[in-house]
Amino acid sequence: MAGDAAANPVAAAEAAVAEGVKKIQIYSSSSSSSSARQVTPFWKEKYERDAKKYWDIFYKRHQDRFFKDRHYLDKEWGHYFLADKDGKNLVVLEVGCGAGNTIFPLVATYPYIIVHACDFSSRAIDLVKGHKDFSADRINAFVCDLTVQTLSEIIEPSSVDIVTMVFVLSAVSPEKMPLVLHNIRRVLKPNGRVLFRDYATGDLAQERLTCKEQQISENFYVRGDGTRAYYFSKKFLANLFMQNGFSVEEVSICSKQVENRSLEIVMNRRWIQAVFCNRSLVQMHENMSITEKFLNNYDDTEVDVSDSIADMFGMSPPADEERRCWNWVVALLVSAQ
């Protein structure tokens, strides 16, 4: 029987369901990354060197069809985009704008905002400029690698009210994340905010990558298409921004179990959401005790939400996503026998 199961994993999975496994609950473990086998130094260097190329290929393949427009920004952070009391335009910088899934909902909702949008993929910027709602009067879209180029040479220093970072910092290697934050801080006004959402440790996607030889370093992985993803903990993220001139206003882990009824599986999805403020040295000193209290009392308390998997991450899964997920479940069942 075991031999038949190994030879025919699909049959094994179907047999397991027939015996009463009506729902396969997929959970992630915090210790999983420690057991993952890392890519070789050669490939680690190649993924870093060719990061732009892999994202260019991604946008060439998917165009603007992969990610959904992020209309949840108004619900989550709408009060940050209120009109300036003096009637001045609100200036927003979208870091890693991709095909424009954040900026176009923003300019449609808030007619008084001006948006700078950058991405290090030239194909992504071409998609933004080719969008039917693109207006050069309101959107300044440009190619920029924030780990190499100086943002303040393109945008006036201390001129930006809000920076949005939505599933973008995770694509940067951890050792270069401080470079990105320093770059952003130069153009952000004093007391300007960074609105942040990204992948969190323990997410299903991290578990799937851990099962393969796709780990680059702790909590940092490469996907099958060569693009990379870092999975943040609350403590790591708070420390990262604190050490680079920001104070923590809020940070939370959001979690949702998403059920796929057709495949009879339940998937854990986790992401991290935060707001950071650009403080002066005096303000940082005054705020230090509050932030240290947060770090000292750090725990893994999560906020349970009721979004669908697509709304949660602002993306549309490719057509074969269910088949890939099913294959992964089959592998888990066979390996457990």
Side-chain angles (χ1 to χ4, degrees):
M1 186 69 178
D4 294 340
N8 192 339
V10 174
E14 291 173 346
V17 172
E19 291 172 7
V21 184
K22 296 302 181 184
K23 283 187 181 179
I24 304 166
Q25 206 161 27
I26 303 175
Y27 291 101
S28 300
S29 63
S30 59
S31 61
S32 59
S33 63
S34 62
S35 61
R37 288 177 290 184
Q38 295 188 3
V39 301
T40 64
F42 170 83
W43 283 102
K44 179 179 179 179
E45 193 277 332
K46 179 175 173 56
Y47 291 133
E48 175 68 28
R49 183 181 66 247
D50 295 339
K52 179 181 180 298
K53 182 184 76 173
Y54 287 119
W55 279 108
D56 276 337
I57 294 172
F58 174 91
Y59 286 111
K60 179 181 180 181
R61 179 181 300 143
H62 298 289
Q63 298 292 307
D64 59 354
R65 299 184 298 270
F66 192 83
F67 298 106
K68 293 179 64 177
D69 283 350
R70 291 156 178 158
H71 296 287
Y72 57 77
L73 295 173
D74 179 54
K75 175 184 175 182
E76 297 290 342
W77 292 319
H79 58 288
Y80 290 106
F81 295 99
L82 296 178
D84 188 282
K85 294 180 181 179
D86 297 326
K88 297 178 181 178
N89 288 329
L90 202 68
V91 180
V92 177
L93 167 63
E94 163 70 352
V95 177
C97 63
N101 302 97
T102 294
I103 60 177
F104 291 115
L106 284 178
V107 296
T109 305
Y110 306 102
Y112 46 80
I113 69 170
I114 301 297
V115 177
H116 298 290
C118 67
D119 199 289
F120 78 160
S121 168
S122 57
R123 287 187 180 274
I125 297 301
D126 288 342
L127 289 171
V128 169
K129 291 182 175 180
H131 194 280
K132 61 182 179 61
D133 295 326
F134 176 78
S135 168
D137 293 334
R138 296 190 62 194
I139 301 172
N140 170 34
F142 57 95
V143 178
C144 184
D145 182 349
L146 294 182
T147 67
V148 177
Q149 296 171 262
T150 303
L151 191 58
S152 58
E153 293 179 355
I154 304 171
I155 301 174
E156 184 181 349
S158 302
S159 65
V160 173
D161 296 285
I162 298 170
V163 174
T164 55
M165 302 182 72
V166 184
F167 296 101
V168 59
L169 194 60
S170 54
V172 178
S173 58
E175 58 270 19
K176 290 189 175 182
M177 290 178 184
L179 299 175
V180 175
L181 299 189
H182 279 295
N183 231 337
I184 290 169
R185 193 162 182 257
R186 290 191 187 100
V187 300
L188 190 60
K189 290 180 180 178
N191 297 320
R193 264 66 175 193
V194 175
L195 309 181
F196 184 95
R197 180 182 276 207
D198 220 316
Y199 303 107
T201 52
D203 179 60
L204 170 67
Q206 181 184 18
E207 184 76 1
R208 293 174 66 179
L209 293 170
T210 301
C211 293
K212 307 171 185 179
E213 295 183 20
Q214 291 179 239
Q215 187 183 45
I216 298 174
S217 59
E218 184 177 5
N219 294 327
F220 193 41
Y221 300 83
V222 60
R223 303 184 184 96
D225 62 2
T227 62
R228 301 172 299 173
Y230 186 89
Y231 294 83
F232 294 93
S233 68
K234 290 199 307 187
K235 195 165 189 176
F236 175 89
L237 184 66
N239 271 320
L240 175 66
F241 274 82
M242 270 282 295
Q243 292 166 6
N244 290 283
F246 294 88
S247 65
V248 181
E249 292 201 344
E250 60 181 79
V251 59
S252 60
I253 298 288
C254 301
S255 177
K256 176 63 182 176
Q257 288 187 1
V258 183
E259 181 178 352
N260 186 315
R261 291 185 177 88
S262 64
L263 296 179
E264 297 185 315
I265 60 176
V266 178
M267 300 174 286
N268 274 356
R269 304 313 309 256
R270 287 162 54 90
W271 72 99
I272 192 165
Q273 187 163 301
V275 177
F276 303 100
C277 186
N278 182 21
R279 302 289 192 186
S280 68
L281 291 176
V282 173
Q283 290 172 319
M284 281 294 292
H285 179 74
E286 293 173 347
N287 188 257
M288 190 70 71
S289 60
I290 299 174
T291 307
E292 285 180 346
K293 183 178 179 181
F294 161 77
L295 292 175
N296 292 333
N297 292 289
Y298 161 78
D299 58 41
D300 280 323
T301 301
E302 299 176 5
V303 177
D304 194 10
V305 296
S306 56
D307 295 313
S308 70
I309 188 170
D311 292 337
M312 183 189 313
F313 290 96
M315 62 180 67
S316 302
D320 61 342
E321 176 65 21
E322 287 194 349
R323 173 54 53 187
R324 292 206 304 268
C325 190
W326 172 243
N327 290 339
W328 185 70
V329 171
V330 168
L332 281 180
L333 285 172
V334 173
S335 64
Q337 293 180 355

